[in-house]
Structures are given as structure tokens and as C-alpha cells.
């Protein structure tokens, strides 16, 4: 038994990293429908860990947040999130529909170490120390220590009944992107790019799902059969375009094709046939 027979090649798989607040469920479902033989494994990482995970090949691709260190990485921005401020429900901000950064000038604005907005200068007054995580900062907001500005998906992820949030119209925004090693754009990565960009099965680059191939052949055969059927039925198509009945349309088409009345003379249906006298039998 050869080495290859003793150790058959492993089946292909795809590892997708994703950061908190991003919900890849829809794309994973489409992947499973199109590539049922290629399992997709989800790898949850923090926003700060995501670039390193991709560089260390801990995942084939990742749903990450921009801005981030993109050295050695390709990235396709997918969408931009609304930025919101999380406040207690009895806070003055809860009484309005939206606020600006200037409206938060007198507030203690918590700035966690895992912040994803990339502030040059965070708004408001700083806290005595920075919370370690967004989850810790949310707990401090609930305790009345300050307010927190985050992407809307993180506000939903850390939802509490005693807190609410409002849009901050002029705050920096977090963009969600698909990222992977720039020198390793595999067929599977191409296929996932097609899914997140909304390509159909036929337009997606990379490996085609087995279930889609018979369908494509069926379409080609149907297309070829339709062309043959159209060629064979051209006279019928001519009748339908002219709007005439079978006999009238055929006669009219013959006159147009052969030049009209001359057709009768050429075929011997004119005077020669009409003027001849029948012979008597002896």
C-alpha cells in the first residue's frame, strides 16, 4: 500500500473568522447550499486579533472592521455601520432622535481598549481609566459612570433593558470588510467573495457547486433545442408575424419570394396547360 493510499488527501474546508457584532449567518447558509461538500468553520476573534489571525493562517478569510492594520492583507469593504451612543434610558440624550459629537462635550465618554472607531480625539471628557473591553464599558454605562460611542451592531450585541442608544451623526464610522492574505486568493476565497457580493451561482468565480452543473447543462441543451426548433419552424414563424391564415400566408410568401405572377408561368400552370386540346381515343 502506497503512502497516498494509506493517507488519502483531506477534504477541502474553509475557515471564516468574524469579529463581534458581525452576523455571517446569511452568507454561511448560502455557502452550505452551494458547496455542501466543503464545510465552513466559523472562528470568532476580537477586532484587534483579526489581522494577526489571518496573517498566521488561523483562518482563510475574515469579516473584520476597518480601520485596521492591513499590511499583507487584501480587504473588500462590505458596508458601513451607523455609529451610536449608548446611554441610560433616563438620560437626556434618550429624549432626542440623534446627537452630534458636540452634544457629548460635557459627558464622560468611555473609550475601551478594543474600540473600533479609530478616534483621533475621542469626544467628551475622558474617564480615569480605559475599560478593557466594550462589554466592560457597557457595564459602566449601566452604573451611570459615563456614555459609550460604538457601531450600532455592538450596541445591539450588548443590549440591556435599562440602556438605549441614539445615532451620532458626525462621529467616525466603522466599516465591515472581508479580508484575506493578499498573496493567497484561493478558489474558495473567490467563491466566498462572490457570495458576499451577491453573485449568482453561475457568475460566481471559483469552484462551481456540483448541484449547479446539471442545471447549467440543462439550460444549454434547452437553449440549443430552442434554436433548432426555431430554425425548423421558420415558415410557421413567418405566418405568425404576417398575421395571415395558413393558406393565405403561404401563397403570399411564395409570391413575395418568386416575384408574384411569373410563378404560374414558370411552373406550367399558365396558358400552356389551359389552351391544350384533349386527344380522342381511337
Amino acid at each position: 500500500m502506497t503512502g497516498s493510499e494509506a493517507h488519502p488527501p483531506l477534504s477541502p474546508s474553509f475557515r471564516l473568522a468574524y469579529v463581534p457584532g458581525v452576523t455571517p449567518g446569511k452568507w454561511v447558509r448560502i455557502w452550505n447550499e452551494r458547496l455542501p461538500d466543503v464545510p465552513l468553520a466559523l472562528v470568532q476573534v476580537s477586532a484587534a486579533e483579526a489581522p494577526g489571525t489571518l496573517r498566521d493562517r488561523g483562518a482563510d478569510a475574515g469579516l473584520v472592521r476597518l480601520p485596521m492594520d492591513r499590511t499583507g492583507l487584501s480587504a473588500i469593504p462590505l458596508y458601513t455601520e451607523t455609529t451610536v451612543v449608548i446611554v441610560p434610558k433616563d438620560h437626556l440624550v434618550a429624549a432626542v432622535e440623534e446627537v452630534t459629537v458636540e452634544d457629548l462635550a460635557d459627558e464622560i465618554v468611555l473609550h475601551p481598549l478594543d474600540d473600533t472607531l479609530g478616534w483621533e480625539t475621542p469626544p467628551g471628557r475622558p474617564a480615569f481609566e480605559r475599560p478593557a473591553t466594550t462589554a466592560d464599558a457597557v457595564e459602566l454605562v449601566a452604573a451611570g459612570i459615563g456614555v459609550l460611542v460604538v457601531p450600532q451592531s455592538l450596541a445591539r450585541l450588548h443590549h440591556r433593558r435599562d440602556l438605549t442608544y441614539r445615532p451620532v451623526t458626525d462621529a467616525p464610522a466603522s466599516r465591515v470588510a472581508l479580508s484575506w492574505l493578499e498573496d493567497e486568493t484561493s478558489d474558495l476565497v473567490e467563491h466566498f467573495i462572490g457570495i458576499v457580493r451577491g453573485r449568482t451561482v453561475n457568475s460566481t468565480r471559483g469552484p462551481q457547486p456540483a448541484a449547479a452543473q446539471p442545471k447549467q447543462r440543462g439550460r444549454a441543451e434547452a437553449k440549443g433545442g430552442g434554436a433548432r426548433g426555431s430554425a425548423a419552424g421558420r415558415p410557421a414563424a413567418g405566418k405568425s408575424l404576417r398575421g395571415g391564415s395558413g393558406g393565405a400566408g403561404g401563397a403570399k410568401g411564395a409570391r413575395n419570394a418568386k416575384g408574384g405572377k411569373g410563378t404560374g408561368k414558370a411552373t406550367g400552370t399558365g396558358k400552356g396547360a389551359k389552351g391544350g386540346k384533349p386527344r380522342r381515343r381511337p
Side-chain angles (χ1 to χ4, degrees), residues 64-134:
V64 302
R65 288 190 181 277
L66 302 179
M68 72 172 191
D69 179 8
R70 293 175 54 175
T71 304
L73 300 174
S74 296
I76 298 175
L78 302 178
Y79 58 89
T80 301
E81 286 204 58
T82 299
T83 301
V84 301
V85 58
I86 302 176
V87 297
K89 281 193 171 180
D90 58 356
H91 195 282
L92 289 176
V93 167
V96 298
E97 293 185 358
E98 59 185 27
V99 297
T100 65
V101 169
E102 186 178 355
D103 294 331
L104 304 177
D106 295 331
E107 301 288 342
I108 294 177
V109 179
L110 302 167
H111 188 209
L113 295 175
D114 64 353
D115 175 71
T116 60
L117 295 175
W119 296 95
E120 292 184 5
T121 303
R125 296 182 292 139
F128 289 112
E129 61 180 355
R130 295 180 64 180
T133 66
T134 297

Side-chain angles (χ1 to χ4, degrees), residues 19-22 63-68 81 116 151 153-154 174-176:
V19 299
V22 176
L63 296 168
V64 302
R65 288 190 181 277
L66 302 179
M68 72 172 191
E81 286 204 58
T116 60
S153 66
L154 291 181
S174 173
R175 292 181 296 163
V176 173

Side-chain angles (χ1 to χ4, degrees), residues 185-265:
T185 308
S186 66
D187 287 344
L188 292 178
V189 170
E190 285 283 9
H191 197 92
F192 197 80
I193 291 171
I195 289 175
V196 299
R197 283 185 161 179
R199 296 178 191 152
T200 63
V201 174
N202 294 334
S203 63
T204 298
R205 289 177 286 180
Q208 293 295 313
Q213 293 173 359
K215 186 176 181 181
Q216 292 171 357
R217 288 197 299 270
R219 287 180 178 175
E221 291 170 1
K223 186 176 180 181
R228 289 191 298 271
S230 175
R234 282 176 184 167
K239 287 190 294 184
S240 63
L241 289 172
R242 294 180 183 277
S245 61
K252 190 173 182 180
R255 287 197 299 271
N256 289 340
K258 298 292 184 179
K261 296 180 180 179
T263 305
K265 295 179 181 180

